[in-house]
Amino acid sequence: MLKAMDESKPPQRPVKKSTRLLYAGRRPEDQHGVVNPPVYHASTVTFPTVAELEAAQRDRLNRVYYGRFGTPTSFAFEDAVAELEGGDRAVSLPSGLAAITCALLAFLKAGDHLLITDSAYFPTRKFCDTLLAGLGVETTYYDPTVGGAIAGLMRPETRVVFVESPGSLTFEVQDVPAIAAAAHDHGAVVIMDNTWSAGLYFQPFAHGIDVSIQAATKFIVGHSDAMLGTVTTTNDLFETVKWTAVGLGICAGPDDCYLGLRGLRSLTARLARHQETGLALARWLEQRPEVETVLHPALPSFPGYDLWKRDFTGAPGLFGFVLTPCSKDSVAAMLDGLALFAMGFSWGGYESLILPTEPGKSRTAVPWPHAGPCLRIHAGLEDADDLIADLEAGFRRLEAAR
Ligand SMILES: *Cc1c(COP(=O)(O)O)cnc(C)c1O
């Protein structure tokens, strides 16, 4: 963490996170008063003397040394992300998946065992089942609702427990403190994919997490225009993660770090709006005869609601719903004609998205119980009434094609 990039005017404490996020990682007085940090494009960093070159080398994880180790722009972004997540230090990476694979590689070696939730993001599973398996690491998938009973799955060689809460596509809320306590009893490191909460609605380090990952591509960047990942850690684990990123030769680009930093400034305001619109859509969908169930952690009808209420402070507008059984063609008739919702995979931008999903396809620990088609919505920043009207017209097409 560069001293020069510390918070510009440390606001008087206590100050809320939404306020601190506006200051984190910037120092206008060092930049002619310009509000935002500049974008440093750098490979070579030069040193005037042998003594200074050697001093930089000794402390190369903490200062400007070589482009791949970081620039003032990436340090500024990392400082702000550490503030957001409530951790000590962060490492920026070129994508969310790179953050996940880097964090796993940092703590796993041949002969180790990994426990990972059955509800994890599919490319995370794919990495474990292919590349990590090839390196001699064994993965076991567990029921996302396992809670403290995860103790029964721990082996002497279990080195990492990976959680993702709520789960990708299916939104099961995990009992993170119970899982973390059991994992720590067995000496394992607990890694979380915290992308859904954006780090704003779930504080990982206050709930027992050791390493928190985000696909900053999603809510942090927030405008669907950059790929970016973060790994946030405690001081103890920081060097292990940073040396892994350096060893793999992966680093985030300066322009993308800048976009991440810019996105962070409006994160609180955007997420509040995503939350409000997402809840309006979820409540409306819950009343529809075409819908069997809505998978939204902030709906009291959802099985994970009590845990969500205990551990989270909000719910952004990413959720799922299951239709009563109907044909693939009728779902296509609904989706193809939508005017405002687009279909696409990445989410977290200003624009609303809808996606048919197949959670049953990848599950191995617990079968997916629903027969009807499953959809995922990312509620964007459009007017909620306009979005509801778009869905309502979609349901008319679905019924006509049923
Ligand atoms: C999108 C996503 C990722 C991967 O992020 P990329 O930047 O696309 O690599 C990881 N985890 C979750 C939960 C995601 O939604």
Side-chain angles (χ1 to χ4, degrees), residues 29-388:
E29 53 274 41
D30 288 353
Q31 290 142 202
H32 316 278
V34 172
V35 171
N36 292 302
V39 181
Y40 283 90
H41 287 99
S43 55
T44 312
V45 176
T46 58
F47 307 95
T49 63
V50 171
E52 283 173 69
L53 184 141
E54 286 175 356
Q57 198 158 30
R58 275 194 299 276
D59 195 28
R60 59 197 185 278
L61 295 191
N62 300 302
R63 46 168 298 170
V64 180
Y65 166 70
Y66 179 61
R68 181 155 39 75
F69 284 70
T71 64
T73 312
S74 62
F75 292 145
F77 174 59
E78 289 161 359
D79 284 355
V81 168
E83 174 85 59
L84 169 70
E85 296 247 23
D88 295 321
R89 303 285 296 269
V91 179
S92 53
L93 290 151
S95 72
L97 187 58
I100 291 165
T101 60
C102 176
L104 289 170
L105 288 169
F107 297 103
L108 291 164
K109 60 178 186 327
D112 286 347
H113 176 233
L114 161 68
L115 281 167
I116 181 161
T117 175
D118 208 22
S119 55
Y121 178 64
F122 181 73
T124 304
R125 296 180 71 115
K126 182 107 179 149
F127 173 74
C128 296
D129 295 345
T130 56
L131 294 164
L132 215 46
L135 296 175
V137 175
E138 192 191 337
T139 301
T140 302
Y141 294 94
Y142 64 85
D143 179 346
T145 64
V146 70
I150 198 150
L153 300 173
M154 303 288 302
R155 304 181 194 165
E157 68 275 19
T158 306
R159 184 79 185 99
V160 170
V161 175
F162 190 98
V163 301
E164 181 176 333
S165 182
S168 268
L169 309 182
T170 47
F171 302 93
E172 296 92 336
V173 183
Q174 297 195 256
D175 191 342
V176 171
I179 292 172
H184 290 153
D185 278 350
H186 288 77
V189 172
V190 187
I191 304 181
M192 177 173 192
D193 185 330
N194 195 23
T195 304
W196 185 83
S197 91
L200 200 62
Y201 290 159
F202 183 84
Q203 287 289 283
F205 298 92
H207 291 88
I209 296 297
D210 303 305
V211 177
S212 179
I213 285 151
Q214 272 199 63
T217 307
K218 307 287 170 54
F219 283 128
I220 291 181
V221 167
H223 294 73
S224 308
D225 53 1
M227 304 297 299
L228 192 61
T230 61
V231 183
T232 307
T233 68
T234 54
N235 280 324
D236 280 358
L237 301 181
F238 170 74
E239 290 205 355
T240 306
V241 173
K242 181 73 185 186
W243 277 123
T244 305
V246 166
L248 289 167
I250 46 175
C251 56
D255 292 304
D256 298 330
C257 287
Y258 181 84
L259 290 173
L261 203 46
R262 186 164 74 166
L264 274 175
R265 307 302 179 200
S266 61
L267 185 66
T268 311
R270 285 187 287 111
L271 244 63
R273 170 74 176 215
H274 288 302
Q275 164 162 263
E276 187 188 342
T277 303
L279 270 170
L281 298 183
R283 290 190 185 118
W284 181 81
L285 285 165
E286 228 183 357
Q287 307 305 321
R288 294 292 308 194
E290 299 87 351
V291 175
E292 183 185 296
T293 186
V294 179
L295 313 168
H296 191 307
L299 289 182
S301 61
F302 188 65
Y305 173 78
D306 289 339
L307 282 176
W308 171 79
K309 205 167 164 47
R310 187 191 72 185
D311 293 345
F312 287 74
T313 56
L318 187 83
F319 66 96
F321 61 103
V322 183
L323 296 169
T324 54
C326 58
S327 70
K328 200 170 181 249
D329 286 350
S330 63
V331 178
M334 173 187 177
L335 299 184
D336 292 354
L338 290 170
L340 297 177
F341 286 91
M343 277 183 279
F345 292 97
S346 190
W347 43 268
Y350 53 83
E351 79 288 13
S352 285
L353 299 169
I354 193 163
L355 191 73
T357 63
E358 292 181 287
K361 263 192 161 172
S362 52
R363 295 306 178 93
T364 52
V366 256
W368 177 241
H370 300 285
C374 193
L375 298 163
R376 185 187 71 189
I377 278 184
H378 162 62
L381 303 180
E382 301 88 343
D383 184 275
D385 291 340
D386 288 342
L387 294 173
I388 286 173

